[in-house]
Amino acid sequence: MIFLLVWCLLAGLVRAEDPYLFFTWNITYGTLSPLGVPQQVILVNGQFPGPNINSTSNNNVVINVFNNIDEPFLLSWNGIQQRKNSWQEGMPGTNCPIPPGTNYTYHFQVKDQIGSYFYFPSTALHKAAGGYGGLRVNSRLLIPVPYADPEDDYTVLAGDWYTEGHATIRKQLDSGKALGRPDGIVINGKAGKVGDKDEPLFSMKPGKTYKYRVCNVGIRNSINFRIQGHAMKLVELEGSHVVQNDYDSLDVHLGQCFAVLVTADQPPKDYYLVVSSRLTKYVHTSVRIIRYTNGKGPADSVLPEPPVGWAWSLNQFRSFRWNLTASAARPNPQGSYHYGSIEITRTVKLVNHPGQVNGKLRHAINGVSHTDPPDTPLKLAEYYGVGDKLFKYDTIPDDPPDNVQANVITIQPNVLNFTFRNFIEIIFENHEKGIQSWHLDGYSFFAVAIEPGRWTPEKREEYNLLDAVSRNTIHVFPKSWAAIMLTFDNAGMWNLRSQQLERQYLGQQLYISVTSPERSLRDEYNIPDNALLCGIVKDLPKPPPYTIF
């Protein structure tokens, strides 16, 4: 009997289910004026931004998405690791898009990664029209966080915005032209100016402390976030508790999320929440009102100034340290937080560079500008054993030549094959004049260094090998490099991309395939029964399922 029970537990036939959260989302177009100009916006249940997902670690999240716009559509979950489950990633390389007039149900579990994240549309530049929203993963009661419970928990989704629709932007990029500068900045779907009589975005009770989760959901630029007259205590960065330093302002680069604590300890009145574009020749600024509940006056019209130059931002990055004493889940595999003593098995250097292909702008990594196969996601092709008909692995070198940006750019699927459970070092080297921001799906990694110049093996002496923050997005300053380290223990197909939407769309992305040689359910889940099939796999027989043995 004991043997039978153990076998059933291993096979998944007997298990205690974690709690479920169910959502039904209707994706539609609507007309709004984020920058004061009426334009078409993508709404989720009639909202922009879309509804917040407020989950707790280990919750099962089930979202039935009805696509009622006129184009195929997907949602992705920026920063959610999808352990063993890239089937739910929602990127064009992993999932068939949801056809217009149909629906698809996502089902994933948020495991061991308390923190602040967001979801966004991953298809056809839809993100430029909205469709995004906040996603928070709270700590279970059994795992205390290293600060007192705040009075309330607020989500701030801020970023640059264009008044042209996503279809117009797509046509512009398809024609070979680069995007111009953004038209402004929106904060939770709306821009604000000093002196506006809008209702407050948030309110605070005197003497109480509030958590603000801040994500840069923009398209092109880094931003600076600050709250007039208030200090901010940084407590969490992309799923990691950090050493709690106070900041007057924070640079939030594309795709990044922070959580700060703000105490209402100033005279009772209105204050401006301020967001400005950063590291650009032009500066857009937007404000929204925060009101004390017993407020007795308007906000001061003089705004706190943003910092100047990227040296300030680099020093801020260096101040971020992982809180090693916090009682929170550690990155998988357990023990990997001793990353400084793990032997590196492979080093990959990635150099981003623009170029012309047939007279049109493209962006490349190590000479290859990625393009998704027209009708079959890479993950499905690989799973069905027909990947060789669509792509080849490792078509770019791990160590590109110094003059790679002068080489001819090739447009093709860009897929790297990483050995399961190997410890990998990835170097991002930016030879350009603008800042870069990179995101890796499926993982958190240790951001061990960002430094000016070119990377060489001797630069490892500058790494933080003790308490670098475990996170999922890394920025690279102009003419600089950044280094990350991680164990590729999450089997699946994972997107590594520029967070700048124009660059991503024009090829500055790739996929990383991590396969388990055992084809075991211990390492990767089977394809979901409701998975959408398309392209060359649509009518193929389903491969034998993975088993536990």
Side-chain angles (χ1 to χ4, degrees):
M1 179 63 70
I2 293 176
F3 173 80
L4 179 60
L5 177 59
V6 170
W7 183 89
C8 289
L9 287 169
L10 288 173
L13 301 178
V14 177
R15 57 195 177 106
E17 288 275 25
D18 289 301
Y20 276 74
L21 301 178
F22 293 95
F23 303 90
T24 299
W25 285 358
N26 186 27
I27 309 300
T28 60
Y29 290 127
T31 300
L32 295 176
S33 303
L35 292 180
V37 178
Q39 65 181 111
Q40 186 184 72
V41 175
I42 293 178
L43 308 176
V44 183
N45 286 357
Q47 302 175 41
F48 170 61
N52 266 318
I53 297 176
N54 189 24
S55 64
T56 298
S57 181
N58 285 4
N59 282 174
N60 290 283
V61 180
V62 182
I63 306 173
N64 191 4
V65 177
F66 287 82
N67 176 18
N68 286 306
I69 65 173
D70 58 356
E71 297 178 333
F73 185 82
L74 280 174
L75 287 170
S76 190
W77 322 93
N78 200 78
I80 300 301
Q81 292 179 19
Q82 307 290 4
R83 300 296 303 177
K84 305 192 296 184
N85 198 17
S86 66
W87 305 113
Q88 305 296 330
E89 187 56 49
M91 291 298 293
T94 57
N95 295 86
C96 299
I98 307 168
T102 67
N103 69 299
Y104 174 74
T105 301
Y106 293 88
H107 180 186
F108 57 87
Q109 190 173 28
V110 290
K111 288 186 65 69
D112 299 340
Q113 52 171 145
I114 58 90
S116 308
Y117 310 95
F118 63 92
Y119 59 86
F120 69 98
S122 62
T123 41
L125 294 177
H126 290 137
K127 185 184 175 191
Y132 55 72
L135 198 169
R136 60 180 68 159
V137 182
N138 302 302
S139 180
R140 286 175 289 167
L141 293 178
L142 294 175
I143 305 177
V145 296
Y147 49 87
D149 289 341
E151 178 70 13
D152 210 338
D153 193 327
Y154 296 139
T155 295
V156 179
L157 302 177
D160 50 23
W161 187 264
Y162 290 82
T163 55
E164 297 91 349
H166 70 280
T168 301
I169 292 175
R170 190 167 66 226
K171 288 178 182 177
Q172 182 174 341
L173 295 180
D174 288 342
S175 71
K177 299 177 183 178
L179 284 182
R181 68 187 191 186
D183 297 301
I185 287 175
V186 297
I187 304 170
N188 285 18
K190 186 177 180 181
K193 302 188 300 293
V194 171
D196 284 350
K197 303 301 182 182
D198 292 339
E199 288 297 308
L201 182 62
F202 303 118
S203 63
M204 297 197 297
K205 298 176 182 177
K208 300 296 184 179
T209 297
Y210 295 78
K211 180 191 283 187
Y212 286 80
R213 302 174 187 262
V214 185
C215 295
N216 184 345
V217 293
I219 296 169
R220 187 182 183 96
N221 293 334
S222 301
I223 59 175
N224 181 266
F225 173 83
R226 52 211 187 273
I227 297 178
Q228 194 178 45
H230 292 73
M232 302 181 293
K233 186 181 295 294
L234 183 65
V235 294
E236 177 253 320
L237 196 168
E238 297 181 352
S240 290
H241 295 309
V242 295
V243 174
Q244 296 178 12
N245 295 320
D246 288 336
Y247 298 88
D248 292 327
S249 69
L250 283 166
D251 277 356
V252 191
H253 302 286
L254 277 170
Q256 295 180 0
C257 294
F258 295 79
V260 296
L261 298 180
V262 178
T263 299
D265 55 4
Q266 298 300 306
K269 60 173 190 154
D270 289 354
Y271 294 88
Y272 283 124
L273 181 157
V274 188
V275 177
S276 298
S277 51
R278 275 282 280 142
L279 309 176
T280 61
K281 292 181 180 179
Y282 54 89
V283 177
H284 287 303
T285 297
S286 188
V287 301
R288 300 293 299 273
I289 293 171
I290 296 175
R291 176 165 295 167
Y292 278 49
T293 54
N294 62 340
K296 298 178 180 178
D300 191 332
S301 62
V302 179
L303 301 179
E305 292 291 327
V308 176
W310 60 264
W312 184 94
S313 192
L314 174 58
N315 287 331
Q316 186 176 84
F317 166 81
R318 290 170 174 162
S319 73
F320 299 151
R321 290 290 187 268
W322 203 20
N323 187 341
L324 299 179
T325 64
S327 298
R330 298 297 184 187
N332 287 297
Q334 298 302 317
S336 70
Y337 49 93
H338 300 301
Y339 64 95
S341 60
I342 303 176
E343 182 180 356
I344 297 169
T345 57
R346 181 177 175 184
T347 297
V348 178
K349 184 166 73 172
L350 303 176
V351 179
N352 53 271
H353 55 101
Q356 295 283 322
V357 179
N358 297 324
K360 295 182 178 181
L361 175 65
R362 296 291 300 187
H363 288 276
I365 303 171
N366 292 9
V368 172
S369 183
H370 175 81
T371 184
D372 290 306
D375 56 4
T376 310
L378 299 166
K379 172 62 178 175
L380 282 178
E382 181 182 68
Y383 181 76
Y384 276 80
V386 292
D388 57 345
K389 295 183 179 180
L390 299 179
F391 67 92
K392 295 181 180 180
Y393 295 107
D394 297 323
T395 58
I396 62 172
D398 284 2
D399 188 16
D402 289 338
N403 64 342
V404 65
Q405 62 269 31
N407 294 347
V408 174
I409 289 176
T410 302
I411 300 178
Q412 64 184 31
N414 195 355
V415 183
L416 295 179
N417 188 18
F418 282 2
T419 302
F420 189 51
R421 294 201 175 106
N422 271 10
F423 190 69
I424 308 293
E425 173 187 52
I426 301 178
I427 311 300
F428 300 96
E429 199 168 85
N430 178 18
H431 299 176
E432 300 182 50
K433 296 180 180 179
I435 188 172
Q436 302 288 315
S437 186
W438 295 86
H439 172 83
L440 175 62
D441 285 335
Y443 292 90
S444 287
F445 50 70
F446 296 99
V448 295
I450 302 175
E451 295 294 336
R454 300 287 181 91
W455 182 87
T456 63
E458 292 74 27
K459 298 293 186 180
R460 294 189 180 114
E461 296 178 3
E462 302 176 26
Y463 287 4
N464 176 359
L465 297 180
L466 175 63
D467 57 0
V469 178
S470 175
R471 55 191 301 181
N472 55 69
T473 305
I474 187 73
H475 52 284
V476 194
F477 295 107
K479 306 294 184 180
S480 301
W481 58 269
I484 66 173
M485 305 167 75
L486 70 156
T487 300
F488 277 88
D489 66 315
N490 191 13
M493 182 81 77
W494 307 106
N495 187 240
L496 174 64
R497 61 181 174 271
S498 169
Q499 292 283 45
Q500 288 155 300
L501 195 58
E502 170 185 0
R503 289 174 170 269
Q504 180 190 138
Y505 182 75
L506 294 179
Q508 193 174 317
Q509 60 173 308
L510 55 80
Y511 282 85
I512 294 174
S513 173
V514 183
T515 58
S516 166
E518 285 81 13
R519 293 181 62 86
S520 168
L521 283 175
R522 287 171 294 190
D523 301 326
E524 185 174 12
Y525 297 145
N526 284 311
I527 186 172
D529 292 337
N530 71 327
L532 300 176
L533 300 180
C534 52
I536 64 174
V537 307
K538 187 173 183 180
D539 299 317
L540 294 179
K542 185 177 291 188
Y546 296 157
T547 64
I548 197 68
F549 300 109

